[in-house]
Amino acid sequence: MAERSCLVDNDWICGEYLSSRGQELVDATLQHIGITLASVAIGLLVAFPLALLARARRSVRGPVLGLTTVFYAIPSLAMFSLLVPVLGLSVSVVVTGLVLYSLTILVRNILAGLAAVPEEAREAARGMGYGLVRLLFGVELPLALPALMAGLRIATVSTVSLTTIGAIIGYGGLGNLVLSGLRSYFKAQVLTASVLCVLLAVVADLVLLLVQRLLTPWTRTRRKRAPRAGAAKSPAGQAVA
Amino acid sequence: MDVIERTWTWLATGSHWTGGDGVWHRLDQHLYLTAVSLLISCAVALPVAVVLGHLGRGGALAVNLSNVGRAVPTFAVLVLLLLSPLGQYGSWPTVIALVLFAIPPVLTNAYVGMREVDRDMVEAARGMGMTGPQVVARVELPLAFPLIMTGVRSAAVQIVATATLAALAGGGGLGRVITAGFRLTDTAQVVAGALLVAVFALLVEGVFVLLARLLDPVRRRSGRTAGKVAPTPVSDV
């Protein structure tokens, strides 16, 4: 029996596709990672001062929360399309749209994290002569980190998934392959790109989880509710939810 | 700006609203897809969430489901279903994809809502001699109502957004106005379609916010304003 190519048969899973279009997949994955990283990084840079401003002034808080909620309700296809006349058919359309989406989650979580900082911790820091900036970066931010990181993880995973819609203007990373695979009815390409996209989201989530654990080692020991003094340290690697 | 003017002209042109490619027909398709998918997902997810929440079982499933839902790109699932053997059944692949992505928010929020009901209240109800179903109907469901509605609302918004993507794959709905605009390189039509989609999505969100307020059994009875609106539950620790 002569072997038939799985490309000819249009199989869902096709090793030959992987070997012959490897470069295309790598390029799409790199574009996907690039767009996601840029969007989440810019989102964080914008969300942080925005959250601080919203915390400091009630008059800012309402509009900021309201506006970011509105952004979140706008379907991605519409969001990107609305940005096209402003920014042209460029990658900045996709990044800007994704930044706007990430703001909703990030601003809320940073605000929630900062609000959960115990007043005693602030008082103690002020009593020790901490200024506003040192109070923020030395006390409040570390204590708000778990909430911030939880938000960052959600925002990153959603961003990986939403990047695919950028395919409408040709900057969708793996989404480009899904869309062109749909148009040419190329099953292996669609499935491979989809699986890679999910893998990307899972890996990003795990990396951030690891970063979170490294940044906040105290959350693991506190969870065990060990007696305050003299207790043996709880073994490392205790699973957290 | 020139685009705004041309978009306005596009929207003001009567012929763009009527006929098979017209806005009204597309809106009709979008509404139909949204309603059918939302009904199916609620019919599937709500009973499961209520039973699991009442029994206090399957929490990990309810929480992880929404995490998984976030990681899987809606667009990819839509395309995969279209290319699968299901693809020949008209709009069913789209409905299935919409339902798959609407189930997690409904299930997770309803489950969390049921679990967050004050245990003392449940104990008191049991002490009064209420049976399991009575506790669910008279105590847990009314108190969980705000969160259940939050879940239904996010599902509705999610469905509207995903139904828009169906247009990329040749399906119906308002997204078709946008994709047709891209194909014709008609920026005015793209922007007009996007505006229509955005307004529609915001209207759907608004309707559900209003519904949640009007129908809240606790609020109706006491006339008090119930607690602050819960944000989307952050399920990750």
Side-chain angles (χ1 to χ4, degrees):
Chain A
M1 208 169 96
E3 271 199 51
R4 286 183 57 184
S5 158
C6 57
L7 283 175
V8 176
D9 282 349
N10 198 14
D11 289 336
W12 284 105
I13 298 167
C14 180
E16 205 180 325
Y17 166 69
L18 288 180
S19 52
S20 64
R21 312 284 178 98
Q23 195 52 45
E24 207 177 89
L25 278 167
V26 171
D27 290 345
T29 310
L30 286 179
Q31 188 187 62
H32 208 112
I33 295 174
I35 290 174
T36 306
L37 273 182
S39 309
V40 175
I42 297 173
L44 202 57
L45 282 179
V46 177
F48 193 63
L50 217 54
L52 288 182
L53 214 66
R55 183 176 70 146
R57 285 176 206 278
R58 285 216 153 267
S59 56
V60 179
R61 192 187 167 92
V64 164
L65 287 183
L67 204 63
T68 50
T69 310
V70 167
F71 285 152
Y72 207 65
I74 297 177
S76 44
L77 190 63
M79 178 76 98
F80 293 154
S81 305
L82 284 174
L83 290 169
V84 166
V86 187
L87 298 166
L89 286 171
S90 67
V91 71
S92 46
V93 166
V94 181
V95 172
T96 309
L98 294 173
V99 165
L100 291 178
Y101 284 126
S102 70
L103 284 184
T104 314
I105 300 163
L106 291 174
V107 169
R108 265 165 209 273
N109 276 57
I110 295 172
L111 272 176
L114 289 176
V117 173
E119 198 48 48
E120 294 90 341
R122 271 195 208 103
E123 291 291 322
R126 278 198 207 99
M128 287 167 70
Y130 275 46
L132 267 181
V133 175
R134 215 169 143 213
L135 175 70
L136 177 66
F137 288 100
V139 177
E140 292 180 308
L141 193 59
L143 286 173
L145 259 183
L148 191 156
M149 287 302 292
L152 193 61
R153 281 171 64 198
I154 297 180
T156 307
V157 171
S158 327
T159 303
V160 170
S161 152
L162 279 172
T163 299
T164 52
I165 319 297
I168 182 84
I169 57 165
Y171 293 98
L174 292 161
N176 292 340
L177 296 183
V178 174
L179 188 61
S180 69
L182 169 73
R183 285 181 179 151
S184 56
Y185 211 79
F186 192 173
K187 289 177 178 172
Q189 179 171 314
V190 172
L191 185 65
T192 313
S194 307
V195 169
L196 276 177
C197 195
V198 175
L199 274 180
L200 217 54
V202 172
V203 168
D205 196 41
L206 288 178
V207 167
L208 285 173
L209 181 66
L210 195 74
V211 171
Q212 179 181 354
R213 291 217 185 163
L214 292 176
L215 284 178
T216 60
W218 62 87
T219 52
R220 260 180 297 167
T221 42
R222 199 172 53 186
R223 199 162 271 264
K224 289 221 78 174
R225 290 196 178 276
R228 226 169 266 172
K233 279 209 171 151
S234 58
Q238 186 71 33
V240 179
Chain B
M1 225 164 100
D2 181 41
V3 181
I4 297 176
E5 212 170 295
R6 280 188 294 137
T7 306
W8 177 248
T9 315
W10 194 95
L11 285 171
T13 307
S15 62
H16 290 148
W17 290 73
T18 51
D21 286 328
V23 171
W24 290 125
H25 180 61
R26 296 301 180 202
L27 180 66
D28 207 37
Q29 290 175 323
H30 215 115
L31 262 177
Y32 176 75
L33 278 176
T34 307
V36 170
S37 314
L38 190 63
L39 280 176
I40 297 178
S41 34
C42 283
V44 173
L46 281 181
V48 175
V50 168
V51 169
L52 288 181
H54 176 68
L55 299 175
R57 299 231 176 110
L61 170 89
V63 169
N64 285 326
L65 202 61
S66 69
N67 289 341
V68 173
R70 225 186 334 257
V72 181
T74 47
F75 177 47
V77 171
L78 210 56
V79 172
L80 283 173
L81 281 171
L82 275 170
L83 293 187
S84 77
L86 281 169
Q88 48 192 312
Y89 296 101
S91 55
W92 279 107
T94 309
V95 171
I96 294 173
L98 295 179
V99 168
L100 282 179
F101 283 99
I103 285 178
V106 177
L107 190 73
T108 306
N109 280 285
Y111 178 85
V112 172
M114 292 289 286
R115 289 314 294 163
E116 276 186 356
V117 171
D118 194 344
R119 286 299 106 191
D120 292 345
M121 295 235 199
V122 176
E123 287 303 311
R126 283 195 194 284
M128 287 165 67
M130 284 196 194
T131 60
Q134 279 175 327
V135 172
V136 171
R138 296 197 198 161
V139 180
E140 291 180 324
L141 273 182
L143 289 173
F145 184 81
L147 258 188
I148 293 178
M149 282 305 286
T150 303
V152 176
R153 193 185 76 217
S154 349
V157 173
Q158 163 98 52
I159 289 176
V160 169
T162 312
T164 316
L165 296 180
L168 275 178
L174 283 173
R176 276 295 273 276
V177 180
I178 301 178
T179 51
F182 270 114
R183 216 176 34 247
L184 302 166
T185 53
D186 181 349
T187 313
Q189 179 170 344
V190 170
V191 176
L195 275 178
L196 290 168
V197 170
V199 169
F200 181 62
L202 291 173
L203 276 178
V204 168
E205 165 122 351
V207 164
F208 277 94
V209 169
L210 215 64
L211 272 181
R213 291 227 180 119
L214 290 176
L215 298 177
D216 189 336
V218 176
R219 191 188 288 233
R220 266 199 307 184
R221 197 163 304 171
S222 62
R224 271 185 312 141
T225 41
K228 59 185 165 91
V229 179
T232 42
V234 178
S235 40
D236 316 65
V237 175

